[in-house]
Amino acid sequence: MQPFDDSPIDRDGKSLILAHDHGLEHGPSAFDGVEDRLDPETVFEMATHDAVTALAVQKGLAETYYPSYEDDVSLLAKCNGTSSLWMGEPYSPQTWSVENAVTVGADAIGYTVYPGTNREPEMTEEFRAVQEDAREHDLPVAMWSYPRGQAIKEHRSPEVIAYAARIGLELGADLVKVKYPRSPAALARAVDAADATRVVLSGGSKTSDYEFLSMVEAAMNAGAGGLAVGRNVWQREDPTRILDALEAVVFEGETADSALR
């Protein structure tokens, strides 16, 4: 594993990653009701909050906007992605190289793998090349490990999420992002399966403040090493308030109740 101790995306052994790759993955509809967040600079400004240890964006946003924020934001370069217009077997092609990401100023590399799909072998091989390139530049690698495909009937079952986390460890990811398996015990099982690889929780679709923070609290108590969140921050009317609360829960060990107060 790549040591996190000196990494900008780490704070006291935890990570809070703000994701803004939704323009590619979900399109403008993800910004319905918060159209101003279509402006990447608005979200880059959010990423300057003390709670955020890294901002995950695609190539175009990084090249265009990151130079103005490189002193205040740590960049997690999301090196693959696909649009929701694609209707074939789940697959996320590489969108830029590690070398290009390093030139832009990346502090870490992010990559999605879909275990269980017909194209899993192809994605695994592509991840191998990216992971090895990142090692050449001493950059940590975050894997979005999202099991999919017709053979998987329940994507959030304890067995599947634990397997997803273990795949991150087996393929050399330093950090693995997984969906919440709906219970702290199930997430604790995934954390154990990942061993030395840090498990961070996927923020998922927007929910109420209390529901979201309660899930994050449960995840942290189960041993998660942080959170990778997008819509549950930038879709809110007051993103700063939820970031303040997340800082309290993730880094200071507060409850959802106390963080909201």
Side-chain angles (χ1 to χ4, degrees):
M1 296 295 103
Q2 183 78 15
F4 271 101
D5 295 347
D6 298 323
S7 170
I9 74 168
D10 171 87
R11 172 179 163 187
D12 300 329
K14 302 178 181 69
S15 300
L16 200 164
I17 299 163
L18 181 62
H20 193 52
D21 56 347
H22 300 73
L24 174 62
E25 299 283 346
H26 301 285
S29 63
F31 303 87
D32 289 349
V34 286
E35 284 76 9
D36 62 308
R37 314 290 161 77
L38 267 169
D39 176 8
E41 287 193 72
T42 303
V43 179
F44 269 86
E45 286 292 336
M46 293 178 199
T48 65
H49 191 286
D50 288 342
V52 178
T53 61
L55 176 65
V57 293
Q58 286 279 353
K59 177 181 182 179
L61 271 62
E63 289 182 337
T64 305
Y65 301 97
Y66 186 62
S68 298
Y69 292 90
E70 59 185 352
D71 293 334
D72 303 304
V73 175
S74 295
L75 175 63
L76 194 160
K78 190 70 186 341
C79 286
N80 70 332
T82 190
S83 78
S84 61
L85 300 175
W86 167 252
M87 300 304 291
E89 183 74 3
Y91 174 65
S92 188
Q94 188 169 348
T95 52
W96 56 324
S97 68
V98 171
E99 288 71 21
N100 193 344
V102 169
T103 300
V104 175
D107 298 290
I109 300 299
Y111 209 87
T112 296
V113 174
Y114 294 137
T117 71
N118 291 339
R119 303 189 74 170
E120 177 188 330
E122 186 178 349
M123 296 193 72
T124 299
E125 172 59 21
E126 291 168 351
F127 178 81
R128 177 204 61 78
V130 167
Q131 191 264 3
E132 292 178 0
D133 284 348
R135 287 290 181 263
E136 292 293 322
H137 296 280
D138 295 323
L139 291 179
V141 179
M143 176 193 286
W144 277 232
S145 187
Y146 289 166
R148 295 185 181 175
Q150 296 180 359
I152 301 176
K153 304 304 181 186
E154 176 49 73
H155 295 179
R156 291 179 184 251
S157 72
E159 295 79 9
V160 169
I161 296 300
Y163 205 163
R166 183 69 183 200
I167 288 169
L169 171 68
E170 297 286 346
L171 297 185
D174 305 295
L175 180 152
V176 60
K177 177 187 176 187
V178 299
K179 305 284 188 179
Y180 187 54
R182 300 192 179 95
S183 80
L187 186 60
R189 177 178 176 181
V191 171
D192 288 342
D195 197 55
T197 294
R198 181 177 300 178
V199 174
V200 299
L201 183 68
S202 171
S205 301
K206 181 187 173 186
T207 58
S208 71
D209 288 0
Y210 183 76
E211 184 179 356
F212 173 54
L213 289 171
S214 294
M215 180 184 70
V216 176
E217 177 190 348
M220 299 307 297
N221 289 338
L227 176 71
V229 58
R231 290 165 288 177
N232 262 299
V233 170
W234 51 256
Q235 281 186 344
R236 295 186 187 277
E237 183 177 346
D238 188 355
T240 299
R241 179 174 182 268
I242 202 70
L243 285 170
D244 288 342
L246 284 171
E247 184 171 25
V249 173
V250 172
F251 297 108
E252 299 166 15
E254 291 193 23
T255 66
D257 284 321
S258 64
L260 285 172
R261 287 196 299 268

